[in-house]
Amino acid sequence: MQVLLRLLCLLTALSPMAAAKAQGRLEVVASFSILADITRQIGGERLNVSTLVPPEADAHVFQPAPQDAKRIAQARAVIINGLGFEGWMERLIKAAGGKPRIIQASKNIQPLKSSDPHMHGLDPHAWHDIANIKIYVAAIRDGLIAIDPEADSLYRQRAQAYLAQLDLLDAEIRTSLADIPPARRMVVTSHDAFGYYARAYAIRMLAPQGVSTETEASAKDIAKVIKQIRAQSIPAVILENVSDPRLLEQIARETGAKIGGKLYSDSLSLETGPASTYIDLMRHNTKTLKDAMMP
Ligand SMILES: [Zn+2]
């Protein structure tokens, strides 16, 4: 045990190499993985970005740990989605102390309404519309410039390059979805996370669960979705990375709708998965939806 401990100390002592590399970088904390990726695209080597809710985890029901408060206390900026997505954040920031700048990525978007009682009337999943993500990029860029004006031109250049990539991605998605017949542009997902995607790309997306995963779908909600699948011949139900698959598997069995793969709704995949960046997430989701809806 002693030897093991000493070995561990030695290893920790060696890792200053990594620490030195990160030294001088601004510490920035993002609430969840999608925002962390976007912030890294804008800040590059200038920032050391960490994530509170890790990839593949559900931000709706996240429970912060003591080390999360410590990271926030030491951060220069905290990037949040807002719109009620991180219900635990306000208390965490208060408990953490410190004076990080809070950058709300969604602050200039037009939010969609929601009837989910957990969400104060708003749908927080605005990142599924690329037009919104471009507004997120501008808000994060401006927030970073405010705390680090010395690197103004770096943030502007990197944001500009990323915005150009997002324009290409949007065009690619529109082209890809264009040949799906109108009558088949419908799917069912677990929780109501794709309202913005549905609006942007003219697809109907139904869900037995509301915009938060905090409450389970009621028997009435489930019966309603089953009725809609049958009445409108909805071709597929699609699982989500942050939701329990069992409910949709049951709905698929009862209706004969096929299970059309898995969407990344509220988090990125791990590095080795198909959606480890925002751009890859949008590509993966679009391909999954198209494969599920095409005759
Ligand atoms: Zn969600």
Side-chain angles (χ1 to χ4, degrees), residues 50-67:
S50 61
T51 311
L52 293 175
V53 183
E56 301 286 4
D58 180 0
H60 293 292
V61 294
F62 177 69
Q63 291 186 322
Q67 69 260 30

Side-chain angles (χ1 to χ4, degrees), residues 75-94:
R76 289 289 304 281
V78 178
I79 321 276
I80 63 167
N81 182 73
L83 307 176
F85 185 58
E86 307 97 335
W88 36 268
M89 184 60 101
E90 207 177 299
R91 211 168 33 182
L92 177 62
I93 289 172
K94 235 178 237 161

Side-chain angles (χ1 to χ4, degrees), residues 96-148:
K99 284 200 172 56
R101 184 185 183 87
I102 310 300
I103 302 173
Q104 185 190 332
S106 71
K107 72 174 176 189
N108 294 321
I109 71 136
Q110 290 285 340
L112 283 177
K113 300 247 183 315
S114 152
S115 54
D116 190 317
H118 281 93
M119 290 321 220
H120 320 286
L122 299 175
D123 179 351
H125 305 88
W127 55 87
H128 288 297
D129 180 350
I130 292 171
N132 285 338
I133 277 297
K134 292 174 68 181
I135 298 172
Y136 278 35
V137 168
I140 296 170
R141 175 199 65 202
D142 294 348
L144 291 172
I145 290 172
I147 56 163
D148 186 22

Side-chain angles (χ1 to χ4, degrees), residues 58 60 85 125 127 191 193 211-213 242 265-266:
D58 180 0
H60 293 292
F85 185 58
H125 305 88
W127 55 87
H191 88 296
V211 296
S212 173
T213 56
V242 300
S265 51
D266 293 12

Side-chain angles (χ1 to χ4, degrees), residues 264-292:
Y264 287 82
S265 51
D266 293 12
S267 100
L268 299 177
S269 69
L270 299 175
E271 201 69 49
T272 48
S276 66
T277 65
Y278 172 74
I279 287 181
D280 284 347
L281 174 146
M282 291 299 282
R283 277 207 180 109
H284 170 87
N285 284 353
T286 299
K287 184 177 184 312
T288 302
L289 285 165
K290 183 173 180 178
D291 290 349

